[in-house]
Amino acid sequence: MGQAQRQPQEESKRNIIIEKLKVVGPGAIISASFVGPGTITTATEAGASFGYALLWALVFSVITTMVLQMMVARLGIVARKGLGAAIRDQFAQPAIKYTIMGFVIISIFTGSAAYMSGDLNGTSLGLSTLTGWNINAIGPFVGLVVLLIGLSGSYKLIEKLMIVLVIIMSTVFITTMVIAQPDLGGIFTGIFAPSVPAGSIITIAALVGTTVVPYNLFIHSNSVQERWNDPSHLNDSKWDIAISIGMGGLISGSILITSGTLMRGVEVETVADLAIQLEPLLGGWAETFLAIGIFSAGFSSMTAAALGASITVSSVLKWKNGMKNWRFRAIFATVILIGVFSFVLNFEPLAIILFAQALNGILLPGIALLILIIMNNKNLLGKYTNSMKVNVIGVIVVIVCFGIGGYSVFSALTAFFN
């Protein structure tokens, strides 16, 4: 093939890639949400303790996230309805309806507030350790910035911000993985030859739990409505999810792989421990490089936690005008203030985190089951209900979610009573 023939083909391929990247938006919010300080710490611990052996669990959790997010995205685009509103409208019996509504609101709000506290503490500790900045100043400042973004009432601002943060995290963590020169054979074995090393069950549950986040399902079903308004856009949404969440999974995987390459056998206490292992490769830039990644992860995750609580409550209670509604902003502000106050008062939110973990352990499989029921409602979705293939995949996801959820509840209760 001559050069004259290759050039148009190469240009056509570039144009296709550019067109696919243009659809990225709502999915980036989900990706930026689950890649937080908790995910970084969990992935670092997984690599340090078990090398590449748990990569399969991370890949599974990313696929599970894609399956569930594609369902709720279809709900939002086709039915023009958020997941919260769909759950509310699915049941005619008032007792059932209001019980489910109450449990969803309490669980999501409590979980979002607890994880806001955890993200704020994790981000502040990591940045303070790496930069030497005063930890007491970092937390309130970051909380204030997130609050101002939420009070702006601009969905497009948040979407663009999340895209930028995902790009920053991708650059930081994927670059460190490449520099670490991991064992490619070991990576493929970790992905395609699943194993459960002794003592790894808790870490596997944590990897899934930090990736498949219940409030992200509510965020996505609402955010797609801001971007697309016709079933003809479903393919664009699928590409958005595949690219965005795939990139989020790659970020998490790169952290696990870097840790498995450089930190095998090292006891991980904080996210900042990863910088020590990077110093021989990056020199004085190790701390700065990682600080940028930790800040981006924490900032994006905190924004999503407050957004998740606000969207869930608004959707379930059918508040109109989205982020422009004062009640929406009040929920957003409340979640952030809880996180800031717990930080300022030096309150260790262990009891709340354990309670939220137990609630999420129950909520995730319950929400997954509700999504499966809703996505088979022909009155709501018409010809866009789940196909048999998607239902089979969905049932598998629900069963696994029940298993992970049950283990999370057991772990939380065990930790609480001990």
Side-chain angles (χ1 to χ4, degrees):
M1 184 182 294
Q3 185 175 356
Q5 290 178 301
R6 285 198 299 269
Q7 285 181 342
Q9 289 184 355
E10 291 174 358
E11 186 175 343
S12 177
K13 289 179 181 178
R14 282 196 298 270
N15 290 337
I16 291 173
I17 293 173
I18 291 172
E19 288 301 313
K20 296 306 180 186
L21 290 176
K22 283 182 179 179
V23 305
V24 171
I29 297 178
I30 306 308
S31 181
S33 170
F34 71 71
V35 183
T39 299
I40 296 175
T41 302
T42 300
T44 302
E45 290 177 343
S49 300
F50 307 104
Y52 308 143
L54 300 186
L55 277 171
W56 67 268
L58 184 58
V59 171
F60 169 80
S61 64
V62 170
I63 293 173
T64 298
T65 301
M66 287 183 178
V67 170
L68 292 174
Q69 300 294 165
M70 283 185 180
M71 287 189 197
V72 296
R74 180 156 35 101
L75 171 68
I77 294 171
V78 174
R80 310 298 299 163
K81 186 176 288 191
L83 178 58
I87 290 174
R88 173 177 178 151
D89 295 341
Q90 181 67 33
F91 302 97
Q93 180 64 33
I96 297 175
K97 175 190 293 189
Y98 292 117
T99 298
I100 293 175
M101 285 171 55
F103 182 71
V104 167
I105 289 174
I106 292 171
S107 300
I108 294 292
F109 181 86
T110 304
S112 297
Y115 290 123
M116 165 65 71
S117 301
D119 286 339
L120 192 56
N121 276 278
T123 303
S124 301
L125 178 61
L127 288 177
S128 178
T129 302
L130 291 170
T131 64
W133 298 340
N134 188 327
I135 189 171
N136 294 321
I138 295 173
F141 173 75
V142 174
L144 177 62
V145 175
V146 174
L147 177 61
L148 292 176
I149 290 172
L151 294 181
S152 72
S154 173
Y155 163 76
K156 289 186 177 180
L157 172 63
I158 291 179
E159 182 182 281
K160 290 178 180 178
L161 175 65
M162 293 302 203
I163 291 174
V164 170
L165 292 174
V166 168
I167 292 172
I168 292 173
M169 287 188 286
S170 302
T171 302
V172 170
F173 295 116
I174 295 175
T175 299
T176 57
M177 176 186 68
V178 173
I179 292 174
Q181 297 183 331
D183 174 15
L184 296 180
I187 291 173
F188 279 103
T189 300
I191 294 174
F192 298 108
S195 62
V196 183
S200 67
I201 295 294
I202 293 177
T203 306
I204 292 172
L207 282 172
V208 176
T210 57
T211 306
V212 190
V213 183
Y215 60 67
N216 280 345
L217 298 163
F218 292 86
I219 292 176
H220 207 166
S221 62
N222 280 69
S223 63
V224 291
Q225 297 179 50
E226 300 280 350
R227 185 70 177 271
W228 297 296
N229 56 18
D230 188 86
S232 62
H233 296 135
L234 284 172
N235 195 51
D236 288 342
S237 175
K238 289 179 181 178
W239 275 105
D240 170 41
I241 292 168
I243 294 171
S244 299
I245 296 177
M247 184 58 67
L250 184 58
I251 294 170
S252 299
S254 66
I255 297 167
L256 190 156
I257 291 168
T258 302
S259 175
T261 304
L262 302 176
M263 300 180 64
R264 189 65 194 271
V266 175
E267 185 175 349
V268 177
E269 294 183 2
T270 71
V271 173
D273 290 338
L274 187 56
I276 300 173
Q277 310 303 317
L278 292 173
E279 284 179 1
L281 302 173
L282 298 176
W285 285 99
E287 292 186 352
T288 302
F289 212 51
L290 191 57
I292 293 171
I294 291 173
F295 175 80
S296 300
F299 193 87
S300 62
S301 191
M302 281 184 278
T303 304
L307 191 65
S310 306
I311 285 180
T312 300
V313 176
S314 298
S315 181
V316 171
L317 298 180
K318 290 189 174 181
W319 293 345
K320 303 296 182 183
N321 301 323
M323 295 182 69
K324 302 294 183 182
N325 190 305
W326 70 267
R327 292 171 293 187
F328 182 105
R329 297 182 183 185
I331 297 294
F332 193 99
T334 300
V335 172
I336 293 172
L337 289 174
I338 289 173
V340 172
F341 278 127
S342 70
F343 178 85
V344 171
L345 297 174
N346 199 27
F347 174 65
E348 177 59 43
L350 178 60
I352 294 179
I353 290 174
L354 290 173
F355 178 59
Q357 182 181 345
L359 283 177
N360 280 339
I362 300 171
L363 184 64
L364 177 58
I367 292 297
L369 181 59
L370 286 171
I371 290 172
L372 203 56
I373 293 171
I374 290 168
M375 296 310 296
N376 283 281
N377 186 339
K378 289 189 178 294
N379 292 329
L380 179 65
L381 294 165
K383 66 179 182 179
Y384 295 100
T385 55
N386 280 353
S387 64
M388 178 62 72
K389 180 176 71 174
V390 174
N391 275 331
V392 170
I393 297 172
V395 168
I396 294 172
V397 167
V398 168
I399 292 172
V400 172
C401 285
F402 267 100
I404 295 294
Y407 190 82
S408 297
V409 172
F410 175 76
S411 299
L413 293 176
T414 300
F416 181 80
F417 286 111
N418 287 341

